[in-house]
Amino acid sequence: MDTQNCFHCGLDIIKKEEIVFDEKSFCCNGCKTVYEIFSENGLTSYYDFERMPGATPQEINGKYDFLDNDKIVAKLLDFEEDKTNIVSLYIPHIHCSSCIWILENLHKLQKGISTSQVNFHEKKVRIIFNSEETTLKEIVLMLCSIGYEPYISLENYESGKAKIDRSLTYKVGVAFFCFGNIMLLSFPEYFEVEEFWLNQYRGFFRWLIFALSLPSFFYSASGYYVSAYKSIRAKMFNIDIPIALGIIVMFIRSTIDIIFGYGQGFFDSLTALVFFMLLGKMFQQKTYNFLSFERDFKSYFPIAVTQINSKKEEVSVPVYDIKKGDRLLIRNQELIPVDGILISEECQIDYSFVTGEAIPIPKKSGDKIFAGGKQLGKVIEMEVLNSVSQSYLTQLWSNDVFQKKIDIKHKTITDAISRYFTPALLLIAFISFGYWIFIDTNTAFNVFTAILIVACPCALALTAPFTMGNILRIMGNQKFYLKNAVVIEQLAKVDMIVFDKTGTITTNKKSDIIFSGTGFSTKELSYVKNLLRGSNHPLSRRLYDFLPPFEIQNVDQFEEITGKGIQGFIDGNFIKIGSSSYVNYADEKAHHQTAVYISINGNYMGKYIFENQYRNGLEKLFKNLRKDYKVKILSGDNDGEREMLEKLLPKNTELVFNQRPEQKLHFIKNLQEKGHNIMMIGDGLNDAGALAQSNVGISISENVNVFSPACDGILDATEFSKISYFLNLSKKAILIIKRSFTLSLLYNVVGLAFAISGKLSPLVAAIIMPLSTVTIISFVTLSSNYYAKKLNTKNGKA
């Protein structure tokens, strides 16, 4: 029967049922309709990335009517605020670059969708949409109409328990059973025993061996066939193609041997091969899970939030210790770490980090507020609804908005090798088979199978992820938390480091504070304390902790002006706290000291002078950094401490003062335009723009919730002196990747040389292949652990 492939989905179409549209052939009206939808919306580029990438749309008649129920929809949504809704849908058909492209252009197909982002590894698409313009049901039906039906299981949302996949364990068990029994039945063949009763039952034993091989061949090895089929259909060649081909060739050849009485075949080698391959796969999977750098919430947010305990005291607690029912205090510009109920009278929430919309949303007491929102204005109290999960905040840090466009060299190399490895391997296998078939048929099949099995790009592909993953784990254990593995490569390229001063090279905890002025009454001092309560600036936090406790009072019209100060009304009194110019006070010493000025009802009351305490090990750290990097200090404060810093820091360290946040950003940009790779280290909140602009932005965390998604990493303040250690470790990570690439290539070259020459049996190849992966994993893990320990010791002595 004459058949050809459907232009959309690639399935065979019978000539009689062929539908021709726009000079293209389709297997059904569904595929034709999808093509029409894409054409009408200017999305035919979908077909440029992969040939025939689509799936045939399925009949759905009423299947998703349950999405008319608002209560069910509420459980499925990740985020629901005002008109903005966010949902994450699992789409099994995601398999290639065309899928990613079309799913990230859904806004062109459905009015109301603002953005859609694909997680290829998890086969999920995260969709942000306007609930007034479209509904979740309409989005799901649209996805079904273009062949991307989502899998929605309400049971998953009710229980939250993921099923454990034990299929690999079952396959290993079946493979071992078959392998063990076939080896036992093959002993007479191995020793060529010629006993009469054995000869009489030799044929029976051989067919029994054949029967025992079937579960191993059809069930245990099925994963390789499925993977190979999908790979071929997607016009991509993965390593499972040669493995599947090798197993099939061995099975066919062994079956022919038994049918024609040539011998018992290679069923013992075949089942051993499947068993050892699966065993290697299981070990690799367990090792990868152990070293996985898909870190938990603790790794992402090693910061504290302010909890109001049962005694009405404000205490800092780790964000992951928060429980349902806890009362939290959220200051101006702080991120809301969990979903909760607003207790305070009212507030304004900026959800731009979550939705991209920068318009603040007003909330009243009793309203639900979502994690990821930024609190604007006076301090608020909230009650926690759920304990901290990875929900929005972990996605937030990885959001495309905060990703920097960089070239990942090791990934490019890995992708190139993976793309050409399998076609080259198949070519070598067939050429070698063609050569040996004229010399020795038995050797020809052995060589063919051994070549297909021994060569393994897995070791090459795992080199970078395992190295980076282990380095992330090591850094995380030492309280340096990076957004992702790409940041390590960026750290290795850094040639200039820019430090903020206040809260970065100075500590919030150790400083003498002296008051100079007319003095305050007890009531006036309570006004100052209550106004400071809402601010997150390092000086505000220090002064707040320094002042004695007072009864909490309500602050009206609270406002914080970045780089200037804070203001608000308490009991009808107007209080301003900030720089001398902000409170309209002329002070000759303003440019020579770090101070906070205070006015009440327009009357200047006095100033608090801060004698800054610099972090321990600062002098030694800068001395180490100056060997390999250019170092600069960039501060929003005046130059009152220039003389002290010049004594403390190495000569020729550039000191730049009186910089507003936007000036800091332009300063970084100018350095980058001169060809420098910049690492900016700041306090995370006031330096957000500069952190985002720099090649690597690191936020210092000192028990304050000042997390900004713009940063690439969070460094615990106690580990500040280890910055040079972390930079050196990132360079060693790149060195380890290069060495392990070389080791992997060497293994493949040597293994193929032995296989081509006929000196390597398929069984030995099956044992060596997973061992090569284990070797590489061990090498990168031991190497990274070794350098981490060595550099740490060196850093301690430096």
Side-chain angles (χ1 to χ4, degrees):
M1 190 175 286
D2 185 21
T3 62
Q4 66 181 87
N5 297 112
C6 173
F7 179 75
H8 175 70
C9 70
L11 295 177
D12 291 341
I13 48 180
I14 302 166
K15 195 70 179 172
K16 292 177 182 177
E17 298 176 4
E18 181 184 6
I19 298 170
V20 178
F21 176 78
D22 200 14
E23 299 181 359
K24 295 172 179 64
S25 298
F26 300 93
C27 65
C28 64
N29 274 313
C31 288
K32 172 181 156 283
T33 303
V34 176
Y35 174 77
E36 284 184 88
I37 292 170
F38 291 167
S39 298
E40 287 168 8
N41 291 278
L43 296 173
T44 49
S45 297
Y46 173 69
Y47 301 99
D48 295 341
F49 295 93
E50 300 285 338
R51 289 183 61 208
M52 300 166 288
T56 306
Q58 303 297 314
E59 288 292 328
I60 51 173
N61 299 327
K63 184 177 177 180
Y64 294 103
D65 285 349
F66 65 87
L67 292 177
D68 290 325
N69 186 319
D70 291 340
K71 290 182 179 178
I72 292 175
V73 170
K75 289 179 181 177
L76 298 173
L77 293 173
D78 291 341
F79 179 90
E80 184 182 11
E81 188 60 71
D82 196 25
K83 297 177 289 185
T84 305
N85 290 1
I86 300 177
V87 67
S88 295
L89 297 172
Y90 172 64
I91 300 179
H93 183 66
I94 296 176
H95 71 285
C96 67
S97 52
S98 289
C99 301
I100 296 171
W101 187 83
I102 195 66
L103 289 172
E104 293 197 341
N105 280 279
L106 293 178
H107 60 281
K108 295 181 180 179
L109 293 174
Q110 183 78 31
K111 185 185 177 185
I113 294 177
S114 54
T115 59
S116 50
Q117 186 179 343
V118 174
N119 182 326
F120 184 75
H121 176 67
E122 294 182 5
K123 294 184 181 292
K124 284 185 178 180
V125 59
R126 186 170 184 260
I127 301 168
I128 301 176
F129 65 96
N130 186 323
S131 57
E132 289 186 356
E133 294 182 5
T134 188
T135 64
L136 178 59
K137 183 181 178 182
E138 288 172 356
I139 291 170
V140 168
L141 294 177
M142 179 271 293
L143 287 168
C144 293
S145 72
I146 60 171
Y148 288 96
E149 183 178 0
Y151 172 72
I152 299 175
S153 170
L154 293 177
E155 291 176 10
N156 294 349
Y157 295 91
E158 293 291 343
S159 65
K161 293 179 181 177
K163 290 183 179 179
I164 299 168
D165 185 6
R166 292 193 173 90
S167 58
L168 183 59
T169 308
Y170 299 147
K171 286 177 180 178
V172 170
V174 170
F176 180 69
F177 171 81
C178 298
F179 161 57
N181 282 286
I182 288 173
M183 290 288 283
L184 195 66
L185 293 169
S186 299
F187 267 104
E189 300 274 1
Y190 295 152
F191 298 109
E192 297 181 352
V193 178
E194 295 296 330
E195 294 288 341
F196 168 74
W197 70 274
L198 281 174
N199 277 327
Q200 189 178 356
Y201 292 103
R202 192 181 295 276
F204 170 75
F205 281 131
R206 284 178 177 175
W207 282 107
L208 186 59
I209 286 169
F210 171 77
L212 281 167
S213 72
L214 294 178
S216 179
F217 178 74
F218 285 109
Y219 172 67
S220 296
S222 60
Y224 295 108
Y225 314 141
V226 171
S227 176
Y229 170 74
K230 286 181 178 178
S231 176
I232 293 168
R233 191 161 180 252
K235 302 292 187 291
M236 294 171 68
F237 296 97
N238 66 12
I239 187 58
D240 289 334
I241 293 173
I243 291 172
L245 187 60
I247 293 169
I248 292 166
V249 166
M250 283 183 77
F251 180 80
I252 293 170
R253 191 206 160 181
S254 301
T255 304
I256 290 169
D257 282 353
I258 286 180
I259 291 170
F260 293 101
Y262 298 149
Q264 73 153 21
F266 297 92
F267 287 117
D268 51 348
S269 299
L270 171 67
T271 50
L273 170 71
V274 173
F275 171 66
F276 283 115
M277 297 264 296
L278 290 173
L279 198 65
K281 192 175 183 179
M282 177 179 269
F283 180 81
Q284 181 180 310
Q285 195 178 82
K286 286 190 178 295
T287 309
Y288 193 74
N289 289 341
F290 177 71
L291 293 175
S292 175
F293 51 89
E294 291 295 326
R295 297 143 301 150
D296 63 12
F297 198 90
K298 298 178 187 181
S299 301
Y300 277 99
F301 299 96
I303 49 182
V305 291
T306 305
Q307 182 190 50
I308 301 172
N309 63 21
S310 55
K311 297 177 183 177
K312 301 293 181 183
E313 296 170 333
E314 296 171 12
V315 292
S316 285
V317 295
V319 73
Y320 46 84
D321 284 348
I322 297 169
K323 304 184 297 294
K324 182 179 179 180
D326 284 353
R327 185 71 64 92
L328 301 182
L329 185 81
I330 310 293
R331 297 183 182 86
N332 180 42
Q333 298 287 323
E334 278 190 356
L335 281 188
I336 297 165
V338 286
D339 296 348
I341 298 294
L342 179 65
I343 301 299
S344 300
E345 190 178 334
E346 60 181 8
C347 72
Q348 298 270 333
I349 308 291
D350 175 2
Y351 283 111
S352 59
F353 286 159
V354 181
T355 65
E357 296 288 334
I359 302 167
I361 295 171
K363 289 286 169 187
K364 296 192 182 302
S365 183
D367 287 352
K368 184 177 180 181
I369 50 179
F370 287 88
K374 187 168 65 172
Q375 203 278 112
L376 303 177
K378 66 179 182 180
V379 67
I380 63 166
E381 291 184 22
M382 62 173 283
E383 187 173 305
V384 176
L385 279 179
N386 306 304
S387 57
V388 174
S389 69
Q390 271 183 283
S391 58
Y392 321 115
L393 295 183
T394 48
Q395 291 176 20
L396 173 62
W397 209 12
S398 303
N399 197 316
D400 272 355
V401 177
F402 305 109
Q403 299 302 318
K404 294 170 182 176
K405 294 178 181 178
I406 44 181
D407 180 33
I408 310 166
K409 287 187 178 177
H410 66 76
K411 188 176 185 299
T412 310
I413 296 166
T414 305
D415 290 347
I417 290 170
S418 299
R419 186 181 301 168
Y420 299 112
F421 190 93
T422 300
L425 182 63
L426 291 170
L427 188 65
I428 292 168
F430 282 109
I431 290 171
S432 301
F433 179 79
Y435 170 78
W436 280 101
I437 195 72
F438 297 108
I439 300 171
D440 186 313
T441 306
N442 193 47
T443 304
F445 277 100
N446 281 346
V447 166
F448 182 75
T449 312
I451 288 171
L452 293 175
I453 291 161
V454 74
C456 180
C458 305
L460 287 164
L462 289 173
T463 289
F466 267 89
T467 306
M468 296 302 198
N470 204 37
I471 293 292
L472 278 175
R473 185 182 62 82
I474 290 165
M475 288 182 172
N477 287 339
Q478 298 188 50
K479 300 180 181 179
F480 184 37
Y481 307 89
L482 299 182
K483 179 188 289 188
N484 51 41
V486 176
V487 180
I488 297 171
E489 190 171 344
Q490 288 303 103
L491 279 171
K493 294 177 183 175
V494 167
D495 60 10
M496 183 179 287
I497 306 170
V498 177
F499 288 88
D500 175 45
K501 184 173 80 74
T502 308
T504 303
I505 63 173
T506 63
T507 174
N508 293 346
K509 294 181 178 179
K510 299 175 184 175
S511 60
D512 295 322
I513 301 175
I514 303 164
F515 179 73
S516 172
T518 57
F520 299 99
S521 66
T522 305
K523 189 163 244 182
E524 287 170 338
L525 198 58
S526 73
Y527 296 161
V528 174
K529 174 96 172 182
N530 276 283
L531 186 62
L532 287 167
R533 186 169 178 250
S535 173
N536 239 326
H537 191 278
L539 294 179
S540 297
R541 302 308 318 133
R542 247 187 284 177
L543 185 54
Y544 180 80
D545 293 336
F546 173 77
L547 295 176
F550 289 100
E551 185 182 343
I552 294 168
Q553 293 173 278
N554 185 47
V555 179
D556 295 316
Q557 297 178 41
F558 177 93
E559 187 179 359
E560 183 162 9
I561 301 169
T562 306
K564 292 183 179 180
I566 55 176
Q567 64 184 45
F569 287 88
I570 304 176
D571 288 344
N573 296 290
F574 182 50
I575 301 100
K576 292 182 81 171
I577 304 174
S579 64
S580 60
S581 59
Y582 183 64
V583 300
N584 298 317
Y585 177 72
D587 186 3
E588 292 178 1
K589 296 180 180 179
H591 296 291
H592 303 288
Q593 58 189 204
T594 301
V596 167
Y597 297 78
I598 301 164
S599 72
I600 298 177
N601 296 322
N603 301 314
Y604 173 68
M605 305 299 292
K607 62 181 177 181
Y608 283 95
I609 303 163
F610 294 80
E611 297 293 333
N612 281 318
Q613 177 71 43
Y614 291 94
R615 295 195 186 278
N616 292 333
L618 182 68
E619 194 172 352
K620 185 171 76 172
L621 170 66
F622 274 72
K623 186 181 176 183
N624 289 337
L625 291 174
R626 286 288 292 182
K627 295 173 186 175
D628 302 303
Y629 305 95
K630 292 180 179 178
V631 181
K632 297 179 186 293
I633 302 290
L634 190 62
S635 176
D637 290 347
N638 57 58
D639 62 354
E641 296 186 37
R642 179 185 288 274
E643 195 175 325
M644 185 184 290
L645 283 168
E646 285 175 345
K647 288 178 184 176
L648 194 64
L649 304 178
K651 288 182 179 179
N652 302 321
T653 300
E654 187 179 353
L655 306 173
V656 185
F657 295 97
N658 299 305
Q659 296 291 295
R660 295 192 302 276
E662 59 272 21
Q663 290 176 313
K664 290 182 180 182
L665 189 152
H666 289 301
F667 184 85
I668 299 291
K669 197 173 183 179
N670 289 336
L671 291 173
Q672 288 173 323
E673 286 171 357
K674 293 175 183 175
H676 291 293
N677 278 300
I678 311 293
M679 178 166 85
M680 170 76 188
I681 303 175
D683 67 11
L685 195 64
N686 300 294
D687 300 318
L691 290 171
Q693 179 63 42
S694 60
N695 300 83
V696 180
I698 304 299
S699 173
I700 298 291
S701 170
E702 194 164 39
N703 290 330
V704 182
N705 185 4
V706 291
F707 167 73
S708 168
C711 69
D712 298 295
I714 303 171
L715 175 63
D716 192 290
T718 57
E719 303 299 321
F720 181 78
S721 60
K722 285 188 176 178
I723 289 171
S724 60
Y725 159 76
F726 293 126
L727 286 164
N728 287 328
L729 186 58
S730 64
K731 288 180 179 177
K732 294 297 182 186
I734 303 303
L735 179 66
I736 292 167
I737 288 173
K738 289 176 180 175
R739 286 177 177 173
S740 52
F741 262 134
T742 307
L743 195 65
S744 301
L745 287 168
L746 189 65
Y747 156 78
N748 279 290
V749 169
V750 172
L752 282 171
F754 275 94
I756 291 166
S757 63
K759 295 176 181 176
L760 188 69
S761 73
L763 181 57
V764 174
I767 296 169
I768 290 174
M769 196 201 87
L771 278 178
S772 71
T773 306
V774 173
T775 304
I776 290 298
I777 292 169
S778 303
F779 172 76
V780 298
T781 306
L782 292 171
S783 297
S784 50
N785 288 341
Y786 166 75
Y787 281 121
K789 194 172 181 181
K790 184 182 176 183
L791 290 171
N792 212 352
T793 306
K794 188 178 177 182
N795 187 65
K797 291 178 181 178

